Amino acid sequence: MDKSILSQPYQKPAKNILADVCAMAASMDNVIDLSVGDPNFKTPQPIIDYAYKKTSEGMTHYTSAEGLPELKAALCDYYKQYDLHFDPDQVLVTVGAQHGLFIALEAILDPGDEVIIPQPSYSPYINQVKIAGGKPVTVDNKAADNFAIDADAIAQKITPKTKAIIVNTPNNPTGHLMSESEMKALADLAIKNDLLIFSDEIYADYIMPGKHFTPLAKYAPDNVVTNGGMSKCFAMTGWRIGYIIGPDWLINAANEVNDAVTYVAPTMSQEAAIYGLQHHDELSQPIVAAFQKRLTYLQDSLSKIDWIKTVPVDGSIYIFVDIRQSGLNSVDFADQLLKKAGILVVPGLAFGPAGEGFIRIAATQPMDQLQEAVKKISTLKW
């Protein structure tokens, strides 16, 4: 037997730059790893202690398929700060945010249905649409506009086959936070064309000083599926706990899909998420403040290097760096940066053609490591 038994897409899979970089990061020593979006902080100890306590008390069994009622209620309470009032039936607890998006796509897509994805974007969006039987349709956001979402450009891509749009705010990799006008224009477009918007808001807590985050659901509650999780805000990447919130008919269908995939999210991770949400500000703010400081440092210091430009950072845990003056494409630049300076980053091409000419730097190392990286970068000549 050989790989010919595999389905056609996996016999000769397309190159996955982001996956390759992540695999490289896991295997390399003596490098400054600024590639993977995994906060270097340990999950806050009170969350660990609470999860351990609940596990010791016997919370080691399945929960209801939709998730613990207490967690769904805590999520509904969390969104009240934005004057959004969700019913628990609109909430589905998932095994991370990425899992939530996939089962929702699987629930709505028939073969050939189209999903519009503005780029640069998190690369798994493309594959998730394909695996669910859909056709990804990309729109290139413009570097000159700091990669803002252009509703008019998206409108030009809408066809009778279009079912949804996927956006990410704050954006990975660009750090762009959708403005009120961007959100209103996109919401109006979705309502007019009877489309769903999947709004990936996993970085919602990571907002730079002077900026303000508003969930996209505020502007089109019947058309938006909010996708989030605990991985970033509480440094809980390994706990694999997320959620989707949307129309109850979609949540019911996504839950039907999930019955055949994972059935339920890990019980101890759900308990940890409950505690985190109930103590959100005190537990998340120290982590958020650290990333604000790091991103401010990176933006200020990298901007002083004459062959580098930086995209203004509104949020997320990344900075998107324009390296076009080096004369190299993003893949070759990342390769040379690793060889010459021992610094691992992600080429902008990993996030679609609109990201070419840029690299993504994750601020996921302590300040002394970031300072060392900037020092090394500043010595390079092209």
Side-chain angles (χ1 to χ4, degrees), residues 23-36:
M24 190 184 303
S27 64
M28 296 186 69
D29 296 319
N30 301 317
V31 300
I32 300 176
D33 181 6
L34 305 180
S35 66
V36 182

Side-chain angles (χ1 to χ4, degrees), residues 117-123 125 138-143 146-149 166-168 171-176 311 320 347-356 358 360:
I117 305 172
Q119 292 189 322
S121 65
Y122 184 50
S123 59
Y125 296 156
T138 60
V139 176
D140 288 349
N141 294 327
K142 298 177 182 177
N146 295 327
F147 299 106
I149 298 293
I166 300 176
V167 294
N168 176 208
N171 180 266
N172 170 16
T174 68
H176 176 71
V311 177
F320 212 42
L349 186 60
F351 308 100
E356 183 54 273
F358 292 75
R360 188 193 76 177

